[in-house]
Every structure is written in C-alpha cells, then in structure tokens.
Amino acid sequence: MPGRPGDPEPSQQFSDEQIVNWLIDECRDVGNRISALTTSGDRILTAGSTVIALLATVAVGGGKGYLLMWLPLGVSVVTVYALFLNNLTRAPVGYKIGLEKSC
C-alpha cells in the first residue's frame, strides 16, 4: 500500500499478510454485527405489528372501539424503534465499506 508523499513509513513490526488477515476478520465481524442488527429490526417489526393487529382485532371484536385511539401510539413506537435500528446500522455499514476499500 503506497502512501502519500510525506507520510511516515509504516512500522515493519507486522507483515502485510497479518494486517490483511486482521482487516478481513474485522470486516467479517462488522458484517455479522450488521446482520444481527438487521435481523433484530425485522423481528421487532414483525412482533410489533402482530401485537398491534391482535389488539385492534380484540378491541373491535369486543365492542371497545375506543381502545383504537391507542393505535397511532403503538404504530409510532414500533416505527420509531425500527428507524432507530436502521440509523444505528448506518455507522457499521460505512465502517465496513471503508474496510473493504482498504483490503
């Protein structure tokens, strides 16, 4: 990896092969973390929408339609949490892209 003019010479303490292997391992680890965050977000959306649908069905079926006033709050909580997980995933994705470019 040639550096820019004026950059200090890298230490020869580690071989290039070791550095590349560490970068590959780090890239795999970040990919696993991204996958875990994405999977947990999918599970939260699935569970949240299922609970909301069941409660809405019970409220309408039981003649207690006034309980549906809580429906927007439930949908908002599930949506905001999904957006939070999506935003949380963006940083590791950028880091992984940087790692892939350096390998």
Side-chain angles (χ1 to χ4, degrees):
M1 287 186 266
R4 291 177 282 181
D7 281 350
E9 285 295 318
S11 170
Q12 296 302 324
Q13 185 176 6
F14 303 110
S15 70
D16 288 341
E17 186 177 333
Q18 286 177 319
I19 293 172
V20 169
N21 286 335
W22 289 334
L23 288 172
I24 290 170
D25 290 342
E26 181 68 14
C27 194
R28 285 183 184 142
D29 182 52
V30 171
N32 289 338
R33 284 187 275 156
I34 291 169
S35 177
L37 281 171
T38 305
T39 303
S40 67
D42 291 345
R43 289 178 182 167
I44 291 295
L45 281 173
T46 302
S49 59
T50 301
V51 168
I52 289 170
L54 286 173
L55 291 177
T57 303
V58 168
V60 170
K64 298 180 181 179
Y66 60 89
L67 293 176
L68 291 177
M69 70 181 188
W70 293 100
L71 185 66
L73 177 66
V75 172
S76 297
V77 167
V78 170
T79 304
V80 167
Y81 189 70
L83 290 173
F84 170 74
L85 284 178
N86 184 31
N87 194 30
L88 196 64
T89 308
R90 293 175 82 190
V93 168
Y95 179 58
K96 185 174 180 187
I97 289 170
L99 283 173
E100 289 173 349
K101 285 183 180 179
S102 66
C103 286

